[in-house]
Amino acid sequence: MENRVIDSGGEPIRGNPGKGVKRFGRVNWLGLATLTGREVRRFTNVWTQTLAAPVATALLFMAVFTLALGTHRPDVMGLPFAHFLAPGILMMTVIQNAFANTSSSILVSKVQGSIVDTLMPPLSPSELLTGFVLGGVLRGLFVALGVAAVLFPLIGIIPAHPLWALAFILTGSALMALLGMITGILAQKFDHMAAITNFVITPLSFLSGTFYSTASVPDAFRMLLHLNPIFYLIDGMRFGALGVSDSPPALGLGYTLIVVCLLAGLTLHWLRTGYRLKS
């Protein structure tokens, strides 16, 4: 009986291309583990750039803002400014790295012409999506652990709700990994990715309540702020680390999970159709 394996575009490959591929149920676990492992090795092989550098950058942000403003700013939400700032810096670092992991992986493959090596193996679109996202999530998690291990003891923070903090780190990493995949699929060259990073990702990150509470902004801007999913990620991380937040953490987690599902649906559709990947 002829074996049928579904390629990355969702079409059946005739013949026997899947011989030797171990599937348990409907999932190619070996292929999924291989893709995830490749994405993890991409950042662990250059850990000084992908893991150590973000920790150093977070420390520099903290040093600059606390030295420039810390002695003159009053408490924010009843907290010292350094304590208020630290969770936002951590989450900003996490989302930037999760985004960079998937966007650079897909775009580099497209530019080098090696994207076919990812599309040809017997991996379904959902398996491709899961492998790339897991790579971004793991990079975000490793960065979060590194920043927290160095920054939090330095300023005396003991996480108030570590499980909430972990939930927002994982959700934020998944959201930005998906945005990175969308960017990598849309971009045709590095200038396109830089434009999306500079004019979309960076403004959303900086205008998300990292450096201020929503109580200090005008009502009109506050409404726009609450549409930004990164605001809920940073606010939720602040709740996990300090026990205070501008909005209910359950609302923020629910909102960001809805955005994750919408982005996953769009990315999965593009993987199935091969949009800007097969041309």
Side-chain angles (χ1 to χ4, degrees):
M1 183 176 179
E2 182 183 57
N3 290 332
R4 303 181 74 205
V5 179
I6 305 301
D7 71 2
S8 60
E11 297 295 330
I13 300 175
R14 301 189 179 276
N16 196 25
K19 187 176 181 179
V21 175
K22 295 182 179 180
R23 286 182 176 268
F24 299 93
R26 294 174 175 265
V27 180
N28 179 359
W29 293 105
L30 178 60
L32 177 59
T34 302
L35 176 59
T36 304
R38 187 196 73 175
E39 291 302 296
V40 170
R41 287 191 297 274
R42 286 187 68 252
F43 67 83
T44 54
N45 287 341
V46 287
W47 63 271
T48 54
Q49 300 176 35
T50 56
L51 300 177
V55 175
T57 301
L59 290 174
L60 285 174
F61 264 110
M62 284 296 302
V64 168
F65 278 96
T66 53
L67 289 175
L69 302 173
T71 57
H72 303 288
R73 282 200 66 158
D75 290 352
V76 183
M77 300 174 66
L79 299 166
F81 183 62
H83 286 209
F84 174 84
L85 186 62
I89 294 293
L90 185 150
M91 183 56 75
M92 278 186 59
T93 308
V94 166
I95 61 179
Q96 288 170 357
N97 280 269
F99 174 83
N101 202 70
T102 51
S103 60
S104 62
S105 179
I106 293 176
L107 182 57
V108 167
S109 296
K110 288 170 63 176
V111 171
Q112 293 179 344
S114 60
I115 189 67
V116 66
D117 296 331
T118 301
L119 300 177
M120 282 296 292
L123 288 167
S124 68
S126 59
E127 290 163 355
L128 287 173
L129 177 72
T130 303
F132 278 112
V133 170
L134 281 177
V137 168
L138 288 172
R139 179 168 169 180
L141 181 61
F142 289 170
V143 168
L145 292 175
V147 173
V150 175
L151 187 58
F152 283 10
L154 193 63
I155 59 177
I157 292 180
I158 299 176
H161 305 287
L163 292 181
W164 275 106
L166 178 61
F168 278 100
I169 288 169
L170 295 178
T171 304
S173 297
L175 190 152
M176 297 308 294
L178 287 164
L179 275 178
M181 289 188 70
I182 290 172
T183 299
I185 292 171
L186 287 175
Q188 297 297 321
K189 53 185 179 180
F190 290 104
D191 289 348
H192 297 161
M193 186 172 75
I196 295 174
T197 302
N198 293 332
F199 297 109
V200 179
I201 305 302
T202 299
L204 287 176
S205 300
F206 277 84
L207 300 176
S208 57
T210 303
F211 308 105
Y212 50 84
S213 170
T214 56
S216 62
V217 300
D219 291 341
F221 183 76
R222 191 178 306 152
M223 293 177 61
L224 294 175
L225 189 65
H226 281 80
L227 295 175
N228 181 1
I230 299 179
F231 159 75
Y232 292 103
L233 296 175
I234 290 174
D235 195 52
M237 184 64 213
R238 189 170 288 128
F239 176 80
L242 305 172
V244 299
S245 61
D246 281 315
S247 64
L251 172 65
L253 187 61
Y255 181 80
T256 51
L257 285 174
I258 291 173
V259 175
V260 166
C261 292
L262 293 174
L263 294 178
L266 175 63
T267 310
L268 187 61
H269 173 67
W270 284 354
L271 290 173
R272 282 174 175 159
T273 60
Y275 177 67
R276 293 210 174 191
L277 291 173
K278 294 184 177 181
S279 58

